[in-house]
Structures are given as C-alpha cells and as structure tokens.
Amino acid sequence: MVRIIMNGCNGKMGQMISGLVAEDENAQIVAGIDPFTGVANTYPVYAEIFDCKEEADVIIDFASAKGVDHMLDYAVEKNLPVVLCTTGLSEEQLQNVAKVSKKIPVLKSANMSLGINALMKLLSIAAEIFANAGFDMEIVERHHKFKLDAPSGTALALADSMNAALGNEYTYRYDRSTVREQRPQKEIGISAVRGGTIVGEHEVIFAGTDEVIELKHSATSRAVFGKGAIQAAKYIAGKPAGMYDMSNVIG
C-alpha cells in the first residue's frame, strides 16, 4: 500500500486523483494540501504543508508553480519522494528541483500520460528520418482557456525529444508574428491554442515537399494524467535519490 500526500488536492487534478485512488486497493491518500479547504474529502486537508503530520511514502504535486519550492522543502525535511506534475516552473525553480533530486527521488514529467511518453520515443525516431530529409517540424498544442502557461510543458517536452535526437542543434519559435522572414531550416515552431474545455491536444507536423506527416495525441479526460501520476507514485516510492521521469515508469 503506497501512502500518498496529495498536494493541490482540491484542484481539478487533485480531485480526479482522489477519486482514482479511492478505487485502488494498492494506494491511499493519507492527507491533502490545499489553500482552499472547503471541499469534503475522506482524508484530512491542510492549508499549509508543514502542518501535515501524517506518515506517507510519497507526495504527488499537482498544485501551482509558486508553491513548488515550499513543497520541496517539506519533502526534503521528511525525506519523501515527489512526483512533480506542476508545469510552468521558472529556470531558477528547475535548478532547485535538480538540486533537491540529489537528496530525494524526484519524478518530474510535463505530462503523465502513457500515450504522450510513448509519442516522445516515436518522435525521436521520426525527427532523425524527416529532419535529415529536409522536412520542417511544427507543434500545435491546444488546451482549455484556464491554462496559464503557454506553450505547454508537454509541447516543450515533445520538442526537446526531437531536438535531442538531432544533437540539440534546433532553435524554438513561439511567435512567428514578431519576425517577418522565411522560416529557417533548423527550427521547431510551437503554437498554442487556448479555449473552451479542451483537456489537451498535441499535434506534431513534419512538412516536406509535396507530403505531410502528422502525429497527434488527444486526451479526452484528465483521468489519463491521474492514472499516470498514481503509477509514478507507486514506482518512485522507496527509490534512491535522483531525477526520474515517465520513461522510467513505462520501462
């Protein structure tokens, strides 16, 4: 039985994971952390993480970027592994995550879905084939209107998987309206759409002369992210300090 502290328990993802864990005989949420405590849960909820005294095996973090450093301080003090799902972290915060991972295990992923992480592996292969043949590479991501960061962490992770396969020689273009010039060859364009209740869509386009190849992942429910986070929590509990990602989980 993996005992979980759910940071951001009263947000949409926190509540989704709470429902999934309630049906999982191998996992239990022993406490939740959220500034908003006006939601009825089957476990105690604290507005401040350092008020939490329950014994746990791992923290799942689906909260806001501004609270990540404070959460990591608690994890280090309690020697707890962290599944870090929050996106939109600053460069300084990412450096702190790397520093903390030398003390505790941290599993960080921009997207917890099995499909997205499999797509990253496919893209590393596709990029080598198509980029070397002169194809242009573009990513279009779509999310609900409430998502704050753009482009999404997942879009950046997809771009990184392609760029790494190509020796990290490509630059990223987020806004083509700022520069009026022909598209350079070694560039990955990333476009963000925000609207309605779109859970998450990521489309990767390889555009060549007279042919286009498209690889797309669509999430129709937040449950895919919640299931991945729970799977990651089970994996990382008891692991030695270090930085992990979903590729470790899916093997």
Side-chain angles (χ1 to χ4, degrees):
M1 175 72 71
V2 176
R3 300 167 297 175
I4 300 167
I5 292 175
M6 184 68 236
N7 192 39
C9 65
N10 289 337
K12 291 182 179 179
M13 280 307 307
Q15 286 295 290
M16 173 67 73
I17 292 172
S18 295
L20 293 170
V21 170
E23 300 175 355
D24 191 329
E25 61 183 14
N26 295 314
Q28 177 189 8
I29 296 180
V30 295
I33 313 298
D34 204 294
F36 176 66
T37 58
V39 175
N41 291 289
T42 59
Y43 47 81
V45 177
Y46 303 93
E48 161 59 48
I49 193 168
F50 277 90
D51 290 337
C52 178
K53 305 302 180 185
E54 277 73 14
E55 294 291 325
D57 302 304
V58 62
I59 299 172
I60 295 179
D61 178 79
F62 252 117
S64 64
K66 64 182 180 181
V68 164
D69 293 326
H70 191 58
M71 179 275 300
L72 290 174
D73 289 341
Y74 176 86
V76 170
E77 180 176 302
K78 301 296 183 180
N79 195 32
L80 284 175
V82 173
V83 176
L84 182 57
C85 308
T86 298
T87 60
L89 303 185
S90 67
E91 187 60 36
E92 184 178 356
Q93 286 179 306
L94 292 173
Q95 292 175 3
N96 185 43
V97 171
K99 180 180 178 181
V100 165
S101 70
K102 297 177 181 179
K103 301 176 182 179
I104 59 172
V106 177
L107 193 151
K108 179 182 176 298
S109 180
N111 191 303
M112 304 304 295
S113 103
L114 176 63
I116 280 290
N117 285 277
L119 178 59
M120 288 182 191
K121 290 189 175 182
L122 295 174
L123 288 176
S124 64
I125 299 171
E128 287 189 272
I129 296 172
F130 296 122
N132 291 332
F135 281 62
D136 299 318
M137 299 183 293
E138 295 281 323
I139 298 172
V140 180
E141 57 98 343
R142 304 173 181 89
H143 285 87
H144 53 84
K145 64 183 179 182
F146 303 106
K147 185 171 178 61
L148 300 181
D149 55 315
S152 69
T154 299
L156 292 172
L158 294 174
D160 288 344
S161 68
M162 294 189 290
N163 205 359
L166 299 170
N168 291 312
E169 296 180 353
Y170 280 63
T171 58
Y172 300 160
R173 171 73 68 186
Y174 306 118
D175 182 3
R176 296 200 181 281
S177 68
T178 59
V179 178
R180 297 181 63 84
E181 63 180 23
Q182 182 175 324
R183 183 191 198 284
Q185 182 179 0
K186 292 192 173 183
E187 179 178 278
I188 300 174
I190 306 175
S191 301
V193 175
R194 296 289 176 269
T197 59
I198 302 170
V199 175
E201 296 180 0
H202 294 84
E203 181 180 12
V204 183
I205 303 165
F206 295 94
T209 302
D210 300 327
E211 60 180 333
V212 176
I213 296 91
E214 298 178 0
L215 298 174
K216 182 179 180 180
H217 176 273
S218 297
T220 57
S221 167
R222 291 183 176 86
V224 298
F225 311 125
K227 291 175 182 176
I230 296 168
Q231 190 176 2
K234 293 177 181 178
Y235 170 84
I236 201 173
K239 290 291 190 297
M243 186 68 76
Y244 301 82
D245 59 31
M246 284 299 288
S247 67
N248 299 114
V249 180
I250 65 178

